[in-house]
Amino acid sequence: MPVLAKYMGLLALMLALLTFAPLGVAVIVQDFHIAWRYLVVIAALLIFWGASRSIAEPWHIQTNEALTVVALAFVLSPLLMTFPFMGSGLSFYDALFEAISAITTTGLSVTTDLADKPQTFLFARSWMQWYGGLGIVVLSVALLMGSQIASRSLSEPLGGETLATTTRTHARQTLMIYSVLTLTGILVVWLISGNGVMALNHVLSAVSTGGFSSFDNSLAAIDNWYTRFTIIGLGLCGALPLSLYAVVFSKNWRAGIRDRELLALPVAILLVTLLLFLSLHFYSGMNPQDAAGHALFLAMSSQSTTGFTTVDINLLDDSAKMSMIFSMLIGGGVGSTAGGIKLLRVLILLRLIQVVLQRTTMPSQAVHYPKLDGKVLEDTVIQRALILILLFIGVVAISWFVFLMHGYPPMNALFEVVSATATVGLSTGITAADLPVLLKLVLCLDMLFGRLEIVALLVVLYPANWVGKRKELS
């Protein structure tokens, strides 16, 4: 427990610092009825941090402890932010839903009439998506934590196989890349649209692949296709491994542009675009130009798991919805802000299937190992990928069953559950204020499972994680 208290204290300090942003906005726009709530949250966080300062920093942190810290950061943060969100007229459960959707970079919303909501609320949702996308933990590693061993353990649960945030230096590099993408995006969208507030809110959500919009009908409210594609293009940038940018802009740039996920992402988008175009043109009756524009946009949105839309998803036919379901399930790159199973893991699965088929044509004594990018895939890498895929599908199946028991249409229910678990945010209309509380909580769990890649949250729920003596290094 002292280890958890120490690092949760550091994360509390980081969250307190981050909360000054919406507090500042609340003061500027004179939303004082919300500002005092943020002051209460900041005070509580700083008090907890102060109490944890006396705890000595351990020399090492166990895997289960690191996973627990990461999971608790994403569970407790939205619980705290529920209080200021309620200042915008939301009930407790709706405020909790919005906060979890924000921190997990999902973008599903039960709130309507956004034009009537306080500017502080709209900014706060996007801001939470921005720091949730990078990861509160990675921010803390980059700016606050000194122990490289502990920093490495804490950042690994968010990064997977390729994220270059295994030390404080690399975490800072990731923060720099993320910040440059964000600031550049805000400037470009502002120049194109002429609306600075809209640019700020939407770019924060786009780079984090979050998808919260300040419009009830998302980017359908923006008539300018240049603005639409600039915003969704930033989402696509966020769906690539952040460490890849450092490689591409280095002397080793040739290796960067040959990255499997970088090559797989546009291929997946083009395939989904084609399927959606056929549906929109021949089923929905759109003219070829409009069908092509909406198809490409939706494909980029679902594959990057950003979640913006330019059409009413509920009006799409089942073939279009199924295409987007598979796209959302796969998601973006490992080490990106995107959700889903991740392209790299799907590539590993496809490679294993290929090897199994190849072995049927080879002599029984022949040895043939699965490789990716010319390197033999280690058993642990394969096991982790397959287990996560299996767990992901299991979470979707269980959640889908709950929605079916409540009488929702199978395809729409599956779309909603996949959107939540893959942290996408696209909706067929099921997610709304009148959704039963139980189903809101199911979607909240889905969003947390998806953002934490399931295992971290399972560790928190595992009783043995909280019982027993901590192992000390000799």
Side-chain angles (χ1 to χ4, degrees), residues 219-241:
L219 298 196
I222 300 175
D223 295 329
N224 190 328
W225 277 104
Y226 293 109
T227 303
R228 290 175 175 178
F229 274 108
T230 301
I231 292 173
I232 200 62
L234 290 166
L236 206 59
C237 291
L240 291 170

Side-chain angles (χ1 to χ4, degrees), residues 81-196:
M81 295 306 161
T82 296
F83 181 58
F85 275 17
M86 290 173 68
S88 298
L90 277 65
S91 67
F92 170 78
Y93 287 110
D94 285 356
L96 178 63
F97 188 96
E98 296 290 317
I100 291 177
S101 185
I103 199 69
T104 58
T105 72
T106 304
L108 282 174
S109 179
V110 294
T111 306
T112 55
D113 300 322
L114 293 177
D116 298 328
K117 293 298 179 185
Q119 283 298 317
T120 302
F121 171 72
L122 299 178
F123 169 78
R125 294 194 313 169
S126 297
W127 180 242
M128 282 186 71
Q129 288 199 320
W130 187 83
Y131 66 71
L134 182 61
I136 306 168
V137 175
V138 173
L139 277 168
S140 300
V141 169
L143 302 177
L144 298 178
M145 296 183 183
S147 170
Q148 288 208 347
I149 295 176
S151 299
R152 182 182 302 114
S153 298
L154 286 169
S155 56
E156 278 176 354
L158 289 175
E161 291 83 354
T162 62
L163 180 60
T165 52
T166 54
T167 66
R168 188 176 182 182
T169 301
H170 287 151
R172 284 178 170 176
Q173 180 186 70
T174 302
L175 175 58
M176 179 64 69
I177 293 168
Y178 195 61
S179 300
V180 169
L181 280 175
T182 304
L183 294 174
T184 303
I186 291 172
L187 179 61
V188 172
V189 175
W190 189 356
L191 290 174
I192 293 175
S193 67
N195 188 331

Side-chain angles (χ1 to χ4, degrees), residues 15-98:
L15 188 58
L17 295 175
L18 291 167
T19 306
F20 274 103
L23 171 62
V25 172
V27 172
I28 291 171
V29 301
Q30 298 183 358
D31 286 334
F32 298 117
H33 63 292
I34 299 176
W36 74 267
R37 291 172 178 263
Y38 278 114
L39 280 174
V40 171
V41 170
I42 290 171
L45 289 167
L46 291 178
I47 290 171
F48 181 76
W49 168 68
S52 70
R53 291 187 66 190
S54 60
I55 302 174
E57 185 174 351
W59 286 101
H60 78 290
I61 182 170
Q62 297 171 182
T63 301
N64 67 312
E65 292 170 337
L67 290 169
T68 301
V69 170
V70 172
L72 288 179
F74 279 90
V75 171
L76 298 179
S77 298
L79 279 173
L80 282 170
M81 295 306 161
T82 296
F83 181 58
F85 275 17
M86 290 173 68
S88 298
L90 277 65
S91 67
F92 170 78
Y93 287 110
D94 285 356
L96 178 63
F97 188 96
E98 296 290 317

Side-chain angles (χ1 to χ4, degrees), residues 202 213-224 228 309-311:
H202 286 81
S213 175
S214 51
F215 307 114
D216 285 330
N217 55 346
S218 191
L219 298 196
I222 300 175
D223 295 329
N224 190 328
R228 290 175 175 178
T309 184
T310 54
V311 297

Side-chain angles (χ1 to χ4, degrees), residues 118-419:
Q119 283 298 317
T120 302
F121 171 72
L122 299 178
F123 169 78
R125 294 194 313 169
S126 297
W127 180 242
M128 282 186 71
Q129 288 199 320
W130 187 83
Y131 66 71
L134 182 61
I136 306 168
V137 175
V138 173
L139 277 168
S140 300
V141 169
L143 302 177
L144 298 178
M145 296 183 183
S147 170
Q148 288 208 347
I149 295 176
S151 299
R152 182 182 302 114
S153 298
L154 286 169
S155 56
E156 278 176 354
L158 289 175
E161 291 83 354
T162 62
L163 180 60
T165 52
T166 54
T167 66
R168 188 176 182 182
T169 301
H170 287 151
R172 284 178 170 176
Q173 180 186 70
T174 302
L175 175 58
M176 179 64 69
I177 293 168
Y178 195 61
S179 300
V180 169
L181 280 175
T182 304
L183 294 174
T184 303
I186 291 172
L187 179 61
V188 172
V189 175
W190 189 356
L191 290 174
I192 293 175
S193 67
N195 188 331
V197 174
M198 185 278 293
L200 175 64
N201 288 337
H202 286 81
V203 171
L204 289 175
S205 293
V207 173
S208 61
T209 64
F212 266 142
S213 175
S214 51
F215 307 114
D216 285 330
N217 55 346
S218 191
L219 298 196
I222 300 175
D223 295 329
N224 190 328
W225 277 104
Y226 293 109
T227 303
R228 290 175 175 178
F229 274 108
T230 301
I231 292 173
I232 200 62
L234 290 166
L236 206 59
C237 291
L240 291 170
L242 295 178
S243 59
L244 187 60
Y245 290 94
V247 177
V248 170
F249 291 102
S250 69
K251 294 180 180 179
N252 198 28
W253 61 271
R254 289 183 179 83
I257 62 175
R258 291 196 298 268
D259 181 83
R260 284 298 180 98
E261 290 185 295
L262 178 60
L263 298 175
L265 188 60
V267 171
I269 290 172
L270 288 175
L271 178 59
V272 178
T273 299
L274 176 60
L275 295 173
L276 290 174
F277 173 79
L278 294 175
S279 170
L280 293 173
H281 180 49
F282 292 104
Y283 176 82
S284 300
M286 285 189 187
N287 64 63
Q289 185 176 356
D290 287 343
H294 289 297
L296 178 58
F297 186 95
L298 290 176
M300 293 172 69
S301 183
S302 58
Q303 193 66 55
S304 66
T305 72
T306 304
F308 290 122
T309 184
T310 54
V311 297
D312 185 348
I313 301 297
N314 192 43
L315 299 180
L316 300 178
D317 72 314
D318 285 352
S319 66
K321 291 175 184 174
M322 185 56 71
S323 299
M324 295 178 70
I325 285 172
F326 279 110
S327 179
M328 293 188 295
L329 273 172
I330 295 171
V334 170
S336 69
T337 63
I341 292 171
K342 302 294 193 303
L343 285 162
L344 180 61
R345 297 185 182 110
V346 174
L347 290 173
I348 290 173
L349 176 62
L350 293 176
R351 183 56 181 150
L352 287 176
I353 294 173
Q354 182 186 26
V355 168
V356 169
L357 294 175
Q358 288 175 339
R359 283 176 176 171
T360 62
T361 63
M362 299 172 65
S364 57
Q365 68 273 18
V367 178
H368 186 38
Y369 296 106
K371 295 182 179 180
L372 200 63
D373 288 331
K375 298 178 181 178
V376 176
L377 292 170
E378 298 179 3
D379 290 342
T380 54
V381 173
I382 295 173
Q383 289 171 6
R384 286 168 59 189
L386 295 181
I387 288 172
L388 194 137
I389 291 173
L390 182 63
L391 289 173
F392 198 98
I393 294 173
V395 169
V396 168
I398 293 171
S399 303
W400 185 34
F401 178 76
V402 176
F403 273 80
L404 293 179
M405 291 298 97
H406 280 75
Y408 286 92
M411 183 60 70
N412 285 0
L414 180 60
F415 189 100
E416 213 77 6
V417 166
V418 170
S419 181

